[in-house]
Amino acid sequence: MSLLITDECINCDVCEPECPNTAIYQGDEIYEIDPTLCTECVGHFDEPQCIEVCPVDCIIVDPDNPESKEQLQTKYEKLTAPA
């Protein structure tokens, strides 16, 4: 599943540079995560890096974008495939 940043986000800027897929971006009011780019760090790290650094624990699994670990791995492979 991709991740989701909740309204508790304080715009502290620590999550965005940690995302290896550049899935995190500044939205209108808070940071947001592009579900087409988020792999929960599968293929890069053992744990989602944004969750690791978030000081307010506002990043959760997105219930609207369920994906298995296999689907996340496939997405990672597509995102990192040579052009």
Side-chain angles (χ1 to χ4, degrees):
M1 294 179 229
S2 65
L3 300 173
L4 172 73
I5 298 176
T6 67
D7 292 340
E8 287 84 29
C9 176
I10 59 171
N11 290 312
C12 67
D13 304 320
V14 298
C15 62
E16 183 183 26
E18 296 300 320
C19 181
N21 296 324
T22 62
I24 300 174
Y25 62 95
Q26 180 63 55
D28 291 336
E29 296 182 24
I30 60 172
Y31 278 92
E32 298 181 23
I33 298 177
D34 182 341
T36 65
L37 297 176
C38 179
T39 63
E40 291 186 42
C41 290
V42 166
H44 294 284
F45 300 101
D46 292 334
E47 299 294 328
Q49 297 301 287
C50 58
I51 292 175
E52 294 288 314
V53 299
C54 181
V56 292
D57 297 325
C58 68
I59 304 172
I60 61 171
V61 172
D62 185 350
D64 294 332
N65 290 298
E67 293 174 290
S68 68
K69 290 291 182 188
E70 292 79 20
Q71 289 171 309
L72 292 169
Q73 180 67 36
T74 299
K75 187 191 303 185
Y76 161 77
E77 291 168 7
K78 288 179 182 177
L79 289 170
T80 59

